[in-house]
Coordinates of all heavy atoms in Angstrom, one line a residue:
M1 N -12.5 28.8 4.0 CA -11.5 28.1 3.2 C -10.7 27.2 4.1 O -10.1 27.7 5.1 CB -10.7 29.1 2.4 CG -9.4 28.6 1.9 SD -8.4 29.9 1.2 CE -9.3 31.4 1.3
S2 N -10.6 26.0 3.8 CA -9.8 25.1 4.6 C -8.9 24.3 3.8 O -9.3 23.4 3.0 CB -10.8 24.1 5.3 OG -10.1 23.2 6.1
L3 N -7.6 24.6 3.9 CA -6.6 23.9 3.1 C -5.8 23.0 4.1 O -5.5 23.5 5.2 CB -5.6 24.9 2.5 CG -6.2 25.7 1.4 CD1 -5.2 26.8 0.9 CD2 -6.6 24.9 0.2
E4 N -5.5 21.8 3.7 CA -4.8 20.9 4.6 C -3.3 21.5 4.7 O -2.7 21.8 3.7 CB -4.7 19.5 4.1 CG -6.1 18.8 4.1 CD -6.5 18.6 5.5 OE1 -5.7 18.2 6.4 OE2 -7.7 18.8 5.8
P5 N -2.8 21.5 5.9 CA -1.4 22.0 6.1 C -0.4 21.0 5.6 O -0.7 19.8 5.6 CB -1.3 22.2 7.6 CG -2.3 21.4 8.2 CD -3.4 21.2 7.2
Y6 N 0.7 21.4 5.1 CA 1.8 20.5 4.8 C 2.4 20.0 6.1 O 2.4 20.6 7.1 CB 2.9 21.3 4.1 CG 2.6 21.6 2.6 CD1 2.3 22.9 2.3 CD2 2.7 20.7 1.7 CE1 2.1 23.3 1.0 CE2 2.4 21.0 0.3 CZ 2.1 22.3 0.0 OH 1.8 22.6 -1.3
T7 N 2.9 18.8 6.0 CA 3.5 18.1 7.2 C 5.0 18.0 7.0 O 5.4 18.0 5.8 CB 2.9 16.7 7.5 OG1 3.2 15.9 6.3 CG2 1.4 16.8 7.7
A8 N 5.7 17.8 8.0 CA 7.1 17.5 7.9 C 7.4 16.3 7.1 O 8.3 16.2 6.3 CB 7.8 17.4 9.3
E9 N 6.5 15.3 7.3 CA 6.7 14.0 6.5 C 6.5 14.2 5.0 O 7.3 13.7 4.2 CB 5.7 13.0 7.0 CG 6.0 12.5 8.5 CD 5.5 13.5 9.5 OE1 4.6 14.3 9.2 OE2 5.9 13.4 10.7
L10 N 5.5 15.0 4.7 CA 5.3 15.3 3.3 C 6.5 16.1 2.7 O 7.0 15.8 1.6 CB 4.0 16.1 3.1 CG 3.7 16.5 1.6 CD1 3.5 15.3 0.7 CD2 2.5 17.4 1.6
I11 N 7.0 17.1 3.4 CA 8.1 17.9 2.9 C 9.3 17.0 2.8 O 10.1 17.1 1.8 CB 8.4 19.0 3.9 CG1 7.2 20.0 4.0 CG2 9.7 19.8 3.5 CD1 6.8 20.6 2.6
A12 N 9.5 16.1 3.7 CA 10.7 15.1 3.6 C 10.6 14.3 2.4 O 11.6 14.1 1.7 CB 10.8 14.3 4.9
E13 N 9.4 13.8 2.1 CA 9.2 13.0 0.9 C 9.4 13.8 -0.4 O 10.0 13.3 -1.3 CB 7.8 12.3 0.9 CG 7.6 11.5 -0.3 CD 6.4 10.5 -0.2 OE1 6.1 10.1 0.9 OE2 5.8 10.3 -1.3
M14 N 8.9 15.0 -0.4 CA 9.1 15.8 -1.6 C 10.5 16.2 -1.8 O 11.0 16.1 -2.9 CB 8.2 17.1 -1.4 CG 6.7 16.9 -1.5 SD 5.8 18.4 -1.0 CE 6.3 19.6 -2.1
A15 N 11.3 16.5 -0.7 CA 12.7 16.8 -0.8 C 13.4 15.5 -1.3 O 14.3 15.7 -2.2 CB 13.2 17.2 0.5
K16 N 13.1 14.4 -0.8 CA 13.8 13.1 -1.2 C 13.5 12.9 -2.7 O 14.4 12.5 -3.5 CB 13.3 12.0 -0.4 CG 13.9 10.7 -0.7 CD 13.4 9.6 0.2 CE 14.0 8.2 -0.1 NZ 13.5 7.2 0.7
R17 N 12.2 13.1 -3.1 CA 11.9 12.8 -4.5 C 12.6 13.7 -5.5 O 13.0 13.3 -6.6 CB 10.4 13.1 -4.7 CG 9.7 12.2 -5.6 CD 8.2 12.4 -5.7 NE 7.7 13.4 -4.7 CZ 6.5 13.6 -4.4 NH1 5.6 12.9 -4.9 NH2 6.2 14.5 -3.5
E18 N 12.8 15.0 -5.1 CA 13.5 16.0 -5.9 C 15.0 16.0 -5.6 O 15.8 16.8 -6.2 CB 13.0 17.4 -5.7 CG 11.5 17.5 -6.1 CD 11.3 17.2 -7.5 OE1 12.1 17.6 -8.4 OE2 10.2 16.6 -7.9
N19 N 15.5 15.1 -4.8 CA 16.9 15.0 -4.4 C 17.5 16.3 -3.9 O 18.5 16.8 -4.2 CB 17.7 14.5 -5.6 CG 19.1 14.0 -5.2 OD1 19.2 13.5 -4.1 ND2 20.0 14.0 -6.1
L20 N 16.7 16.9 -3.0 CA 17.1 18.2 -2.3 C 17.6 17.9 -0.9 O 16.9 17.2 -0.1 CB 15.9 19.1 -2.2 CG 15.2 19.6 -3.6 CD1 14.0 20.3 -3.3 CD2 16.2 20.4 -4.4
P21 N 18.8 18.4 -0.6 CA 19.3 18.2 0.7 C 18.7 19.2 1.7 O 19.0 20.3 1.8 CB 20.8 18.6 0.5 CG 20.8 19.5 -0.6 CD 19.7 19.2 -1.5
L22 N 17.7 18.6 2.5 CA 17.0 19.5 3.4 C 17.2 18.9 4.8 O 16.8 17.7 5.1 CB 15.5 19.5 3.1 CG 14.6 20.4 3.9 CD1 15.0 21.8 3.8 CD2 13.2 20.3 3.4
P23 N 17.8 19.6 5.7 CA 18.1 19.1 7.0 C 16.8 18.7 7.8 O 15.8 19.5 7.7 CB 18.8 20.2 7.8 CG 19.4 21.1 6.7 CD 18.4 20.9 5.5
V24 N 16.8 17.7 8.5 CA 15.6 17.2 9.2 C 15.1 18.3 10.2 O 13.9 18.4 10.3 CB 15.9 15.9 10.0 CG1 14.8 15.5 10.9 CG2 16.3 14.8 9.0
E25 N 16.0 19.0 10.8 CA 15.5 20.0 11.8 C 14.8 21.2 11.1 O 14.2 22.0 11.8 CB 16.7 20.5 12.6 CG 17.8 21.2 11.9 CD 18.9 20.2 11.4 OE1 18.8 19.0 11.6 OE2 19.9 20.7 10.8
Q26 N 14.8 21.3 9.8 CA 14.1 22.4 9.1 C 12.8 22.0 8.5 O 12.1 22.8 7.9 CB 15.0 23.0 8.0 CG 16.2 23.7 8.6 CD 17.1 24.3 7.5 OE1 16.8 24.1 6.3 NE2 18.1 25.1 7.9
L27 N 12.5 20.7 8.6 CA 11.3 20.2 7.9 C 10.0 20.9 8.4 O 9.1 21.3 7.7 CB 11.1 18.7 8.1 CG 12.2 17.8 7.4 CD1 12.0 16.4 7.7 CD2 12.2 18.1 5.9
E28 N 9.8 21.0 9.8 CA 8.7 21.7 10.3 C 8.6 23.2 9.9 O 7.5 23.6 9.5 CB 8.7 21.6 11.8 CG 8.3 20.2 12.4 CD 6.9 19.8 12.1 OE1 6.0 20.7 12.0 OE2 6.7 18.6 12.0
T29 N 9.7 23.8 9.9 CA 9.7 25.2 9.4 C 9.3 25.4 8.0 O 8.5 26.2 7.6 CB 11.1 25.9 9.7 OG1 11.4 25.7 11.0 CG2 11.2 27.3 9.3
V30 N 9.9 24.5 7.1 CA 9.5 24.6 5.7 C 8.1 24.2 5.5 O 7.4 24.9 4.7 CB 10.4 23.6 4.9 CG1 10.0 23.5 3.5 CG2 11.9 24.1 4.9
A31 N 7.6 23.2 6.2 CA 6.2 22.9 6.1 C 5.3 24.0 6.5 O 4.3 24.4 5.8 CB 5.9 21.6 7.0
G32 N 5.6 24.7 7.6 CA 4.8 25.9 8.1 C 4.8 27.0 7.1 O 3.8 27.6 6.8
N33 N 6.0 27.3 6.5 CA 6.2 28.4 5.6 C 5.4 28.1 4.3 O 4.7 29.0 3.7 CB 7.6 28.6 5.2 CG 8.3 29.3 6.4 OD1 7.8 29.9 7.2 ND2 9.7 29.2 6.4
L34 N 5.5 26.8 3.8 CA 4.7 26.5 2.6 C 3.2 26.5 2.8 O 2.5 27.0 1.9 CB 5.2 25.1 2.1 CG 6.6 25.1 1.5 CD1 6.9 23.6 1.1 CD2 6.7 26.0 0.2
T35 N 2.8 26.1 3.9 CA 1.4 26.1 4.3 C 0.9 27.6 4.3 O -0.2 27.9 3.7 CB 1.1 25.4 5.6 OG1 1.5 24.1 5.5 CG2 -0.4 25.5 6.0
Y36 N 1.7 28.5 5.0 CA 1.3 29.9 5.1 C 1.2 30.5 3.6 O 0.2 31.2 3.3 CB 2.3 30.6 5.9 CG 2.1 32.1 5.9 CD1 1.2 32.7 6.7 CD2 2.9 32.9 5.1 CE1 1.0 34.0 6.7 CE2 2.7 34.3 5.1 CZ 1.7 34.9 5.9 OH 1.5 36.2 5.9
M37 N 2.2 30.2 2.8 CA 2.2 30.8 1.5 C 1.0 30.3 0.6 O 0.4 31.0 -0.1 CB 3.5 30.4 0.7 CG 4.7 31.1 1.3 SD 4.5 33.0 1.4 CE 4.3 33.4 -0.3
R38 N 0.7 29.0 0.8 CA -0.4 28.4 0.0 C -1.7 29.1 0.4 O -2.6 29.4 -0.4 CB -0.5 26.9 0.3 CG -1.5 26.2 -0.6 CD -1.4 24.8 -0.6 NE -1.8 24.3 0.7 CZ -2.1 23.0 1.0 NH1 -1.9 22.1 0.0 NH2 -2.4 22.6 2.2
I39 N -1.9 29.4 1.7 CA -3.1 30.0 2.2 C -3.2 31.5 1.7 O -4.2 31.9 1.2 CB -3.2 30.0 3.8 CG1 -3.4 28.6 4.2 CG2 -4.2 30.9 4.3 CD1 -3.2 28.3 5.7
Q40 N -2.0 32.2 1.7 CA -2.0 33.5 1.2 C -2.3 33.6 -0.3 O -3.1 34.5 -0.8 CB -0.6 34.2 1.4 CG -0.3 34.4 2.9 CD -1.4 35.1 3.6 OE1 -1.8 36.2 3.2 NE2 -1.9 34.6 4.7
I41 N -1.8 32.6 -1.1 CA -2.1 32.6 -2.5 C -3.6 32.3 -2.7 O -4.3 32.9 -3.6 CB -1.3 31.5 -3.2 CG1 0.2 32.0 -3.2 CG2 -1.8 31.2 -4.6 CD1 1.2 30.9 -3.6
A42 N -4.2 31.4 -1.9 CA -5.6 31.2 -2.0 C -6.5 32.4 -1.7 O -7.5 32.7 -2.4 CB -6.0 30.0 -1.1
V43 N -6.1 33.2 -0.7 CA -6.8 34.4 -0.3 C -6.7 35.4 -1.5 O -7.7 36.0 -1.9 CB -6.2 35.0 1.0 CG1 -6.7 36.4 1.2 CG2 -6.5 34.1 2.2
L44 N -5.5 35.6 -2.0 CA -5.3 36.5 -3.1 C -6.1 36.1 -4.3 O -6.7 36.9 -5.0 CB -3.8 36.6 -3.5 CG -2.9 37.4 -2.5 CD1 -1.5 37.2 -2.9 CD2 -3.4 38.8 -2.4
D45 N -6.2 34.8 -4.6 CA -6.9 34.3 -5.7 C -8.4 34.6 -5.5 O -9.1 35.0 -6.5 CB -6.7 32.8 -5.9 CG -7.3 32.2 -7.2 OD1 -7.2 32.9 -8.2 OD2 -7.9 31.1 -7.1
T46 N -8.9 34.4 -4.3 CA -10.3 34.7 -4.0 C -10.6 36.2 -4.2 O -11.6 36.6 -4.8 CB -10.6 34.3 -2.6 OG1 -10.4 32.9 -2.4 CG2 -12.1 34.6 -2.2
V47 N -9.7 37.1 -3.7 CA -9.9 38.5 -3.9 C -9.9 38.9 -5.4 O -10.7 39.7 -5.8 CB -8.8 39.3 -3.1 CG1 -8.8 40.8 -3.5 CG2 -8.9 39.1 -1.6
M48 N -9.0 38.3 -6.1 CA -8.9 38.6 -7.6 C -10.2 38.2 -8.3 O -10.8 38.9 -9.1 CB -7.7 37.9 -8.2 CG -6.4 38.6 -7.8 SD -5.0 37.7 -8.5 CE -5.3 37.8 -10.2
L49 N -10.8 37.1 -7.9 CA -12.0 36.6 -8.5 C -13.2 37.6 -8.1 O -14.0 37.9 -8.9 CB -12.4 35.2 -8.0 CG -11.6 34.1 -8.7 CD1 -11.9 32.7 -8.0 CD2 -11.8 34.0 -10.2
Q50 N -13.2 38.0 -6.8 CA -14.2 39.0 -6.4 C -14.1 40.3 -7.2 O -15.1 40.9 -7.6 CB -14.1 39.2 -4.9 CG -14.5 38.1 -4.1 CD -14.2 38.3 -2.6 OE1 -13.5 39.2 -2.2 NE2 -14.8 37.4 -1.8
D51 N -12.8 40.8 -7.4 CA -12.6 42.0 -8.1 C -13.1 41.8 -9.6 O -13.7 42.7 -10.1 CB -11.2 42.4 -8.1 CG -10.7 42.9 -6.8 OD1 -11.6 43.2 -5.9 OD2 -9.5 43.0 -6.6
E52 N -12.8 40.7 -10.2 CA -13.3 40.5 -11.6 C -14.8 40.4 -11.6 O -15.4 41.0 -12.5 CB -12.7 39.1 -12.1 CG -11.2 39.2 -12.4 CD -10.7 37.8 -12.8 OE1 -11.5 36.9 -13.0 OE2 -9.4 37.7 -12.8
Y53 N -15.4 39.8 -10.7 CA -16.9 39.7 -10.6 C -17.5 41.1 -10.5 O -18.4 41.5 -11.2 CB -17.4 38.8 -9.5 CG -18.9 39.0 -9.3 CD1 -19.8 38.4 -10.2 CD2 -19.4 39.7 -8.2 CE1 -21.1 38.6 -10.0 CE2 -20.7 39.9 -8.0 CZ -21.6 39.3 -8.9 OH -23.0 39.5 -8.8
L54 N -16.9 41.9 -9.6 CA -17.4 43.3 -9.3 C -17.2 44.1 -10.6 O -18.1 44.9 -10.9 CB -16.7 43.9 -8.1 CG -17.1 43.3 -6.8 CD1 -16.2 43.9 -5.7 CD2 -18.6 43.4 -6.5
A55 N -16.1 44.0 -11.2 CA -15.9 44.8 -12.5 C -16.9 44.4 -13.5 O -17.5 45.2 -14.2 CB -14.5 44.6 -13.0
W56 N -17.1 43.0 -13.7 CA -18.1 42.6 -14.6 C -19.5 43.1 -14.3 O -20.2 43.5 -15.2 CB -18.1 41.0 -14.7 CG -19.2 40.4 -15.5 CD1 -19.3 40.3 -16.8 CD2 -20.4 39.9 -14.9 NE1 -20.4 39.7 -17.2 CE2 -21.2 39.5 -16.0 CE3 -21.0 39.8 -13.7 CZ2 -22.5 38.9 -15.9 CZ3 -22.2 39.3 -13.5 CH2 -23.0 38.8 -14.6
R57 N -19.9 43.0 -13.0 CA -21.2 43.4 -12.6 C -21.4 44.9 -12.8 O -22.4 45.3 -13.3 CB -21.4 43.1 -11.1 CG -22.8 43.4 -10.6 CD -22.9 43.3 -9.1 NE -22.1 44.4 -8.6 CZ -21.9 44.7 -7.3 NH1 -22.5 43.9 -6.4 NH2 -21.2 45.7 -6.9
D58 N -20.4 45.7 -12.5 CA -20.5 47.2 -12.8 C -20.5 47.5 -14.3 O -21.3 48.3 -14.7 CB -19.3 47.9 -12.1 CG -19.3 47.8 -10.6 OD1 -20.4 47.5 -10.0 OD2 -18.2 48.1 -10.0
E59 N -19.8 46.7 -15.0 CA -19.8 46.9 -16.5 C -21.2 46.6 -17.0 O -21.8 47.3 -17.9 CB -18.7 46.1 -17.1 CG -18.6 46.2 -18.7 CD -17.5 45.3 -19.2 OE1 -16.4 45.6 -18.9 OE2 -17.9 44.4 -20.0
D60 N -21.7 45.4 -16.6 CA -23.0 45.0 -17.0 C -24.2 45.9 -16.6 O -25.1 46.1 -17.3 CB -23.3 43.6 -16.4 CG -24.5 42.9 -17.1 OD1 -24.5 42.9 -18.4 OD2 -25.3 42.3 -16.4
A61 N -24.0 46.6 -15.5 CA -25.0 47.5 -15.0 C -25.1 48.8 -15.8 O -26.1 49.5 -15.9 CB -24.8 47.9 -13.6
T62 N -24.0 49.2 -16.5 CA -24.0 50.4 -17.3 C -24.5 50.2 -18.7 O -24.7 51.1 -19.4 CB -22.5 51.0 -17.3 OG1 -21.7 50.0 -17.9 CG2 -22.1 51.3 -15.9
V63 N -24.7 49.0 -19.1 CA -25.1 48.7 -20.5 C -26.6 48.7 -20.6 O -27.4 48.5 -19.8 CB -24.6 47.3 -20.9 CG1 -25.1 46.9 -22.3 CG2 -23.1 47.3 -20.9

């Protein structure tokens, strides 16, 4: 799985669009944290899909 990381520039633009006061020195940290969270959500989503598939497969095998 390859997700593009957030950049400080993107975070700055998003903050400006939403009128959020975000200090420039925190842009890299916020970008890193959001990238990390997005990757974790993608991993959890993948695990949930695998669990659903396995449950369906096991249910189908007993019928």
